[in-house]
């Protein structure tokens, strides 16, 4: 199984400042035949299901604000919120969809400082 | 509008059984793989099981292999999860999720609101 490790577990950022979340996979999720990283990021607010933010490691889902960006390749990935807004307070999860069992990171809780 | 609506969650005793259902609408159901993802209270996300489009190949997490059975009824746009020999650590919100044609290979672009399974004596 591919183990996904997120860091930090939580972070507090001032409004308008940058938030950075890291995700590391225990093996590469880069598929060589199409050069795509099978890595997604989700946002979950309390009492709600997760919502897809980013797929293929760096492609924003339709309707996701451009302050959210994803980067990285192979085994190391980053989700960046360039200017934190109040509505960004949530838990963020990374996920590999390269192979079954599909696996998630443990989550990172983002709060306002 | 693409929509997934789960039902069937309940309080059940350890060792009991439960069948979850997911009603889908707004997309060509038979063309997509579907999965179940669960989340224990206050915890992270765990993929439980998935079923592919077309041939209906099934996949399971080791933690539920042999106890849970996923199935689909394309004529009714329905997904099911039969859960047997339930354990206390199966308690969670169970989400029905949609990706692409195969179980792996696509992110989950649609999630239901979930149904709560409680396992307790």
């Amino acid at each position: 199984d591919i183990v996904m490790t997120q860091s930090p577990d939580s972070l507090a950022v001032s409004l308008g400042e940058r938030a950075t979340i890291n995700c590391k996979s225990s093996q590469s999720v880069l598929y060589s035949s199409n050069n795509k990283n099978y890595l997604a990021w989700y946002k979950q607010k309390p009492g709600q299901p997760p919502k897809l933010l980013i797929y293929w490691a760096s492609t924003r889902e339709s309707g996701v604000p451009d302050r959210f960006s994803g980067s990285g390749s192979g085994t190391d990935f980053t989700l960046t919120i360039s200017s934190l807004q109040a509505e960004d307070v949530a838990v963020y999860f990374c996920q590999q969809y390269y192979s079954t069992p599909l696996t998630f990171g443990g989550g990172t809780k983002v709060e306002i400082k | 509008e693409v929509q997934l609506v789960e039902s069937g969650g309940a309080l059940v005793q350890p060792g009991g059984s439960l069948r979850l259902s997911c009603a889908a609408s707004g997309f060509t159901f038979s063309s997509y793989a579907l999965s179940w993802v669960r989340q224990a209270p206050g915890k992270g996300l765990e993929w439980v099981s998935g079923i592919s489009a077309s041939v209906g190949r099934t996949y399971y997490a080791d933690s539920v292999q042999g106890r849970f059975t996923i199935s689909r009824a394309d004529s009714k746009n329905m997904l099911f999860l039969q859960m047997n020999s339930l354990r206390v650590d199966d308690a969670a919100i169970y989400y029905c999720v949609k990706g692409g044609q195969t179980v792996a290979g696509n992110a989950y672009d649609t999630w239901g609101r979930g149904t709560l399974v409680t396992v307790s004596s």
Side-chain angles (χ1 to χ4, degrees):
Chain A
D1 299 3
I2 300 176
V3 177
M4 307 300 291
T5 304
Q6 277 183 245
S7 62
D9 292 337
S10 65
L11 75 161
V13 176
S14 300
L15 288 172
E17 295 301 305
R18 178 184 300 261
T20 301
I21 300 169
N22 300 300
C23 176
K24 188 175 183 66
S25 58
S26 61
Q27 62 190 76
S28 177
V29 297
L30 173 63
Y31 194 37
S32 57
S33 66
N34 59 11
N35 201 37
K36 287 186 173 183
N37 287 283
Y38 285 54
L39 189 285
W41 289 96
Y42 300 87
K43 171 186 178 181
Q44 186 178 33
K45 291 187 169 184
Q48 296 184 15
K51 172 190 171 185
L52 178 63
L53 291 177
I54 302 275
Y55 56 98
W56 302 132
S58 61
T59 302
R60 269 190 304 275
E61 175 73 331
S62 175
V64 173
D66 60 7
R67 64 180 180 274
F68 290 91
S69 63
S71 62
S73 185
T75 61
D76 292 279
F77 301 91
T78 300
L79 175 70
T80 301
I81 309 173
S82 60
S83 176
L84 191 76
Q85 305 300 304
E87 60 265 33
D88 301 334
V89 170
V91 178
Y92 294 82
F93 296 93
C94 62
Q95 178 212 25
Q96 66 81 17
Y97 49 95
Y98 183 89
S99 64
T100 57
L102 285 74
T103 46
F104 294 86
T108 297
K109 186 175 185 179
V110 174
E111 300 173 307
I112 304 294
K113 184 187 291 184
Chain B
E1 179 193 6
V2 177
Q3 197 169 13
L4 300 169
V5 179
E6 305 91 338
S7 61
L11 169 63
V12 61
Q13 291 186 337
S17 297
L18 208 55
R19 189 193 197 206
L20 305 184
S21 300
C22 172
S25 60
F27 63 101
T28 305
F29 184 82
S30 61
S31 297
Y32 289 88
L34 294 152
S35 291
W36 291 96
V37 173
R38 69 185 180 184
Q39 187 172 35
K43 301 297 184 181
L45 299 166
E46 180 187 16
W47 175 83
V48 172
S49 179
I51 185 166
S52 69
S54 302
V55 297
R57 186 173 176 183
T58 59
Y59 303 80
Y60 299 94
D62 287 347
S63 58
V64 307
Q65 180 77 49
R67 300 188 298 122
F68 290 12
T69 302
I70 191 171
S71 61
R72 60 189 297 159
D74 288 352
S75 62
K76 298 180 179 179
N77 288 1
M78 294 289 294
L79 176 72
F80 305 100
L81 186 68
Q82 177 66 43
M83 304 187 295
N84 298 330
S85 303
L86 280 161
R87 309 190 299 221
V88 170
D89 60 0
D90 292 319
I93 296 172
Y94 283 72
Y95 295 105
C96 174
V97 298
K98 166 189 164 289
Q101 189 176 29
T102 55
V103 172
N106 291 275
Y108 296 143
D109 60 6
T110 305
W111 295 64
R113 294 204 63 82
T115 188
L116 179 63
V117 173
T118 303
V119 184
S120 175
S121 54

